[in-house]
Amino acid sequence: MNTDVDILQLVIATVLFLVMMFGIGFILNMLLKTTWFPIYLLFIVLLPLFIWQTWDNDKSFTGNFTAFTFVDIIPGIGAVAGAYISGAAIRALRRGGYKMF
């Protein structure tokens, strides 16, 4: 029973990160008139910030990176997918002739 709940939480977290990054990315793309800024922001700011926050000085360099499990990585992949989808949506809207995007 506990495993089912954990898998459900993982699915909900992944969908939540995807939708959250899509919304934030869409708004940033509209305001800043960029297309791929949320992906750059994710890889340049958020990913190093996450690694720095979870860093453990008692472990070796490789030990810190091998400590991540799929439960840590899957929601991150959902966030990257949301950022990419927001850029693709903005690009499709601009190609469709919508000037406000």
Side-chain angles (χ1 to χ4, degrees), residues 15-72:
V15 171
L16 180 68
F17 274 83
L18 186 138
V19 170
M20 189 170 51
M21 275 307 292
F22 175 80
I24 292 170
F26 195 85
I27 292 170
L28 281 174
N29 284 332
M30 273 194 318
L31 294 176
L32 299 176
K33 302 287 186 186
T34 63
T35 303
W36 303 114
F37 179 70
I39 289 181
Y40 300 145
L41 181 72
L42 187 73
F43 284 118
I44 294 172
V45 176
L46 296 179
L47 186 65
L49 186 65
F50 176 71
I51 292 172
W52 175 74
Q53 181 183 5
T54 59
W55 195 263
D56 186 11
N57 288 331
D58 295 334
K59 294 181 183 176
S60 66
F61 181 78
T62 56
N64 276 304
F65 288 107
T66 58
F68 292 118
T69 62
F70 74 97
V71 175
D72 300 322

Side-chain angles (χ1 to χ4, degrees), residues 76-89:
I77 292 172
V80 170
Y84 177 78
I85 293 169
S86 73

